[in-house]
Amino acid sequence: MLQPTNGCLQHNGSVDQPSSSSTVNGSATGNGDGQEQSNGCNIKGRSSQEIVRLIGQHLKLIGLNQTAEVLMQESGCRLEHPAATQFRHHVMDGEWHKVSADLNELQALVGNSCQYFSDMKFLICEQKYLEYLEDGKVLDALHVLRNELTPLQHNIDKVHILSSYMMCSGRDELMKRANWEGKGHKSRTLLMDMIQQFLPPHIMLPPKRLHMLLTQAVELQRNQCLFHNTTFDDSIETVSLLTDHKCSLEQIPCETVQILTEHCDEVWFCRFSPNGKKLATGSKDASIIIYDVDPETLTVEQSITLDGHSYGVSYLSWSPDGELLMACGPEDCPDLWVWNVSTGVLRLKLSHSSDDSLTACSWHKDGQKFVCGGIRGQFYQCDLDGSVLDSWEGVRVNCLWCRSDGKTVLAADTRQRIRSYNFDELSDQNLIQEDHPIMSFTVNKTDRLALLNVVSQGVHLWDLQDKCLVRKFQGVTQGHFSIHSCFGGVNHDFIASGSEDNKVYLWHIKHELPIATLSGHTRAVTCVSWNPVYHQMLASVSDDCTVRIWGPAAKYRKQKSNKSDINNDSGSPSKHM
């Protein structure tokens, strides 16, 4: 939850000054227009004065109190108002009889520029009440509850909860039920941090303000980095503040790590398992090959082959737990297969009619039901025994996706649209309407953005909640082939797609132009899959009968010691800016 950066709905240290005269960093602001007038401060300029105060606050935070005092003395600035300093000392010492008077003084000083004194009084009374209970001073605690907390008429529900703590048997139970640190320096410091958020910054700086600003700066640089692909760390301790954050194209999947040639015909589909440890590929040669992923070297090794798909394998879907793999064939295929990947045993072969076309499928999040369909008008919801639980008549399906609510199914149909279907309520609605056929689509992990491959248009990004087109990605060649694109990266900040020009295209989700084009395949690239766990790993399959594993440049990955996995034609990226 976002909190006020410096209290009283101000931003970045600015404050709407009250009409009465007050002192800011040793400067008087009595003209009411927020303009400072020098009065004893040796530092000229508001920003320079604020920087000095921020540095002084940070020095105190890390225990360099004397250094902070020297800085304040030499600069002529003041870290906080004397009334605020007195207030802080009384809170930290637990002198509650003085704190109330201090708060009244602060309120008079600030005037009408802050509307949060009820919140501050409530927090102080709450701390006092809990400390009395911890000390066993039940009558004193009861007095605070009846005569100080209740008359505030503030956060009544919390008052009722606080009153229940009177029944606690001892200190341990009180701390557990109240989720409280207990009487002492730590809890009082947390109290002051909360109170500081409500006071204007010319009276008392927000807690850890310099640290907050630096964290925001680091996050902004990361968000603007086109190639950032590592887990965000909320702490600034892991980065250098002395240089700007900058990642390289070479840190994302941009080079061929392996070329796999186990299939003997066109490879139509690939998909990493949810845990990122397996890769499944489906081919026109009627087989599925399962590979084990080595997360250190970002390579794969063939594990098992699943045969018997007489029509070929054009689509694959992993169950949420990664134990089962569902396979569909091309347009004239009436069958659907469900394999147990661990044992290599066929769990289910679904075939209701030889006239069916089952070319698309998706698992519900519980892994106990799935949906399947095709362009001849079949649209089924089934259980793991293959029984059809529900069906929707007349829906000619190109691609399916089960949403995270466990009830809603998205279907791209032959009317150039994506519709939402709820089998429980038997309701449906239109979400997306394109001007050209939608060959395939996928949804990101937030369940809000959909990535579509559209005939003659390429790759489109849609917002499912707002039902609007967000971006059209440029570069890819998309005719009437079924090409499957994907989201990728730690935060799904990347888009990858194959193309009929034999290349793999990579984009940042915020930019329409590709950030890299990966060459190496010699025929159309029909599917790509970005590893959902090991985010530096990408797989692509092609009509050239090969599977390529892409990873970062060699200096960013570990190498296998005994053999090379890359042929002379290793593939290379071209960078777009």
Side-chain angles (χ1 to χ4, degrees):
M1 178 179 179
L2 293 177
Q3 297 174 330
T5 56
N6 50 18
C8 304
L9 303 180
Q10 313 300 325
H11 298 283
N12 299 328
S14 62
V15 59
D16 295 332
Q17 299 290 353
S19 57
S20 60
S21 177
S22 59
T23 303
V24 184
N25 302 334
S27 302
T29 58
N31 53 8
D33 61 0
Q35 299 298 317
E36 296 182 4
Q37 300 174 0
S38 178
N39 184 20
C41 184
N42 302 325
I43 306 298
K44 304 302 180 183
R46 177 174 177 172
S47 60
S48 295
Q49 294 174 14
E50 290 178 348
I51 290 172
V52 169
R53 294 181 67 204
L54 292 173
I55 293 172
Q57 184 194 45
H58 186 72
L59 290 172
K60 281 184 170 291
L61 181 66
I62 62 177
L64 301 179
N65 296 316
Q66 292 184 357
T67 306
E69 293 297 334
V70 170
L71 174 64
M72 293 297 106
Q73 183 178 1
E74 183 177 358
S75 66
C77 295
R78 194 161 54 196
L79 190 59
E80 59 189 11
H81 196 280
T85 302
Q86 177 178 271
F87 172 68
R88 180 193 302 276
H89 288 161
H90 290 159
V91 168
M92 296 305 295
D93 293 339
E95 297 183 73
W96 305 117
H97 60 289
K98 297 180 181 179
V99 168
S100 180
D102 295 337
L103 200 58
N104 291 334
E105 183 178 352
L106 288 173
Q107 188 169 8
L109 182 66
V110 174
N112 295 325
S113 67
C114 186
Q115 305 298 321
Y116 299 108
F117 277 91
S118 292
D119 301 84
M120 296 163 64
K121 289 178 180 178
F122 187 91
L123 290 171
I124 291 168
C125 291
E126 179 185 11
Q127 177 80 14
K128 180 164 49 169
Y129 170 77
L130 293 173
E131 290 195 9
Y132 282 149
L133 283 183
E134 181 181 342
D135 290 340
K137 299 177 180 179
V138 178
L139 292 179
D140 290 336
L142 185 60
H143 177 84
V144 172
L145 186 66
R146 287 178 175 176
N147 300 314
E148 297 183 44
L149 279 167
T150 303
L152 287 174
Q153 293 295 303
H154 180 78
N155 202 346
I156 304 301
D157 292 339
K158 185 61 179 294
V159 172
H160 292 159
I161 294 173
L162 290 173
S163 65
S164 69
Y165 298 157
M166 299 284 293
M167 307 304 295
C168 289
S169 60
R171 178 177 182 272
D172 292 342
E173 183 183 354
L174 173 66
M175 293 174 63
K176 182 178 180 180
R177 289 184 57 185
N179 191 26
W180 185 54
E181 295 290 342
K183 177 181 177 180
H185 180 81
K186 191 170 184 179
S187 66
R188 291 172 182 171
T189 300
L190 292 174
L191 172 63
M192 281 305 307
D193 285 349
M194 289 187 285
I195 290 174
Q196 281 177 266
Q197 296 172 22
F198 298 129
L199 286 170
H202 69 281
I203 299 297
M204 181 181 288
L205 285 173
K208 303 178 181 178
R209 181 62 182 162
L210 180 60
H211 187 279
M212 181 185 297
L213 290 172
L214 293 174
T215 299
Q216 292 171 351
V218 169
E219 289 178 354
L220 178 62
Q221 291 184 21
R222 285 171 169 170
N223 289 333
Q224 293 179 338
C225 178
L226 289 180
F227 308 115
H228 190 79
N229 192 31
T230 57
T231 303
F232 276 23
D233 189 345
D234 292 334
S235 171
I236 61 173
E237 304 301 328
T238 59
V239 300
S240 172
L241 300 176
L242 305 181
T243 58
D244 288 342
H245 173 85
K246 187 177 181 181
C247 295
S248 165
L249 168 65
E250 295 181 329
Q251 292 175 259
I252 65 173
C254 61
E255 292 187 2
T256 300
V257 178
Q258 276 182 297
I259 301 174
L260 310 173
T261 58
E262 285 79 8
H263 286 292
C264 58
D265 209 332
E266 297 174 358
V267 190
W268 288 339
F269 201 84
C270 64
R271 183 67 56 86
F272 283 103
S273 62
N275 64 7
K277 295 183 178 180
K278 293 185 181 297
L279 172 68
T281 59
S283 170
K284 186 179 179 181
D285 66 10
S287 72
I288 299 171
I289 297 179
I290 307 297
Y291 297 90
D292 292 327
V293 172
D294 185 333
E296 291 192 357
T297 60
L298 303 179
T299 58
V300 300
E301 184 174 348
Q302 185 176 355
S303 175
I304 57 174
T305 301
L306 310 174
D307 292 311
H309 306 84
S310 54
Y311 293 86
V313 179
S314 61
Y315 195 85
L316 298 167
S317 179
W318 289 90
S319 63
D321 62 5
E323 291 296 317
L324 301 177
L325 182 67
M326 188 159 42
C328 296
E331 178 182 345
D332 54 351
C333 177
D335 303 326
L336 176 146
W337 298 265
V338 178
W339 294 89
N340 185 310
V341 177
S342 299
T343 62
V345 174
L346 181 64
R347 167 73 182 269
L348 170 67
K349 183 179 180 181
L350 179 66
S351 182
H352 284 286
S353 169
S354 58
D355 294 329
D356 281 358
S357 173
L358 300 180
T359 58
C361 60
S362 182
W363 292 90
H364 280 291
K365 71 172 185 177
D366 62 3
Q368 300 303 307
K369 299 192 299 290
F370 62 86
V371 292
C372 58
I375 62 173
R376 296 179 184 174
Q378 289 75 42
F379 186 11
Y380 304 134
Q381 180 168 252
C382 308
D383 61 20
L384 288 179
D385 295 324
S387 301
V388 176
L389 304 176
D390 303 283
S391 65
W392 218 286
E393 298 296 332
V395 182
R396 298 178 180 272
V397 173
N398 280 333
C399 191
L400 293 167
W401 186 273
C402 291
R403 303 197 73 176
S404 59
D405 62 5
K407 301 180 296 182
T408 308
V409 179
L410 303 183
D413 59 31
T414 54
R415 296 185 180 182
Q416 304 171 7
R417 64 188 180 179
I418 292 180
R419 289 180 65 80
S420 171
Y421 297 87
N422 189 311
F423 281 93
D424 295 342
E425 301 173 1
L426 296 179
S427 62
D428 62 316
Q429 62 173 318
N430 209 44
L431 289 183
I432 293 173
Q433 183 67 57
E434 283 277 5
D435 296 328
H436 296 78
I438 302 169
M439 302 304 294
S440 67
F441 76 95
T442 186
V443 179
N444 76 338
K445 61 185 178 181
T446 67
D447 204 32
R448 176 162 181 172
L449 299 177
L451 194 63
L452 284 60
N453 281 78
V454 183
V455 168
S456 77
Q457 298 294 299
V459 182
H460 291 179
L461 182 69
W462 281 77
D463 188 312
L464 295 173
Q465 179 173 307
D466 295 338
K467 301 180 183 179
C468 65
L469 178 63
V470 177
R471 193 159 286 110
K472 294 182 178 180
F473 296 103
Q474 301 180 28
V476 68
T477 303
Q478 170 80 63
H480 290 270
F481 279 42
S482 291
I483 294 177
H484 301 269
S485 56
C486 69
F487 294 93
V490 173
N491 298 290
H492 276 192
D493 287 335
F494 298 103
I495 306 293
S497 179
S499 176
E500 292 182 21
D501 64 2
N502 312 339
K503 296 180 174 64
V504 176
Y505 288 83
L506 303 183
W507 300 269
H508 191 279
I509 198 169
K510 296 180 181 179
H511 298 271
E512 293 185 357
L513 294 176
I515 57 175
T517 303
L518 311 183
S519 301
H521 286 293
T522 57
R523 293 183 63 187
V525 181
T526 52
C527 184
V528 292
S529 180
W530 207 300
N531 195 303
V533 178
Y534 308 109
H535 304 290
Q536 293 181 308
M537 191 175 191
L538 177 73
S540 62
V541 299
S542 169
D543 288 351
D544 65 9
C545 309
T546 68
V547 179
R548 281 182 178 251
I549 306 299
W550 305 86
K555 63 183 178 181
Y556 292 107
R557 67 177 190 265
K558 295 182 179 180
Q559 302 294 314
K560 282 194 172 182
S561 57
N562 295 327
K563 61 179 181 179
S564 173
D565 297 291
I566 306 176
N567 298 342
N568 291 331
D569 178 19
S570 61
S572 60
S574 59
K575 183 175 180 181
H576 301 260
M577 295 304 292

